[in-house]
Amino acid sequence: MALNPAKHGIGMTSQRTRERLITRLREEGIRDEVVLAAILGIPRHIFVDEAIASRAYEDTALPIGYGQTISQPYIVARMTEILRSGGPLGKVLEIGTGCGYQTAVLSKVAQEVYSVERISPLLMKARSHLRELRARNVKLKYADGALGIPEMAPFDGIIVTAAATHVPHDLLAQLAVGGRMVIPVGTHEQTLTLIERTPEEFRQTKLEAVKFVPLLGGVS
Ligand code: SAH
């Protein structure tokens, strides 16, 4: 299905605007060409309200309602790059679907994507955006993501897009041996953290300072 120019604003879909974002991401240190191609291929403006769609290709987080945000393209690229670690991804679990932008990017670089969101109307928005993009390898779930999706585990990659005070135990248990989890940990000061599961241990590496909305318990 072609994008509807009346709805999306024909100028915003311009290839040059999107390429400028890719140049910016390269300048910020994103190196994985597979990730950059995925970002180039996903129209970010369809994930935000029309009133702010003209800002969709700026490298900033934007409001999506319900007190939540669409992640900054840099952070989406960075987390996807860390998760891939230069290789293909099988089954991935995302916690915090929001409007589904990161989910859409993941759908381009992983075989199967499962994503969990605790705010029902946001999940409905995400579902319609992902349908528009024909992302058929994505399954969405309305639940408390801290519990993961035990019946679909283990996952080769787990990406948490809300800040946790601690790494949820259920998510660790659902990470495959050889798998990687990227998760922002902390409250006021948050650190993007990589957890790699080896046969013997969960190896933790602190990466960089980030700013996410909090991971909350239960559903709303
Ligand atoms: N991945 C999104 C980022 C959304 S912001 C993007 O691409 O832009 C983080 C999202 O995490 C919010 O929608 C919030 O409702 C959700 N969230 C917070 N705690 C959660 C939980 N315990 N389970 C599932 N989703 C949660």
Side-chain angles (χ1 to χ4, degrees), residues 24-94:
R24 171 81 200 254
L25 295 177
R26 281 188 207 282
E27 284 165 6
E28 288 176 310
I30 305 298
R31 292 279 170 267
D32 188 335
E33 292 298 327
V34 172
V35 172
L36 291 167
I39 298 223
L40 184 63
I42 300 292
R44 189 168 182 254
H45 63 274
I46 73 164
F47 291 88
V48 297
D49 284 348
E50 242 180 296
I52 53 170
S54 63
R55 303 190 56 201
Y57 298 96
E58 291 175 17
D59 189 21
T60 50
L62 294 167
I64 54 170
Y66 309 93
Q68 307 303 321
T69 52
I70 179 171
S71 296
Q72 181 192 0
Y74 165 76
I75 203 72
V76 170
R78 183 80 180 109
M79 288 174 88
T80 311
E81 179 174 72
I82 294 162
L83 211 59
R84 262 180 45 83
S85 183
L89 281 166
K91 204 197 290 182
V92 171
L93 172 65
E94 177 190 30

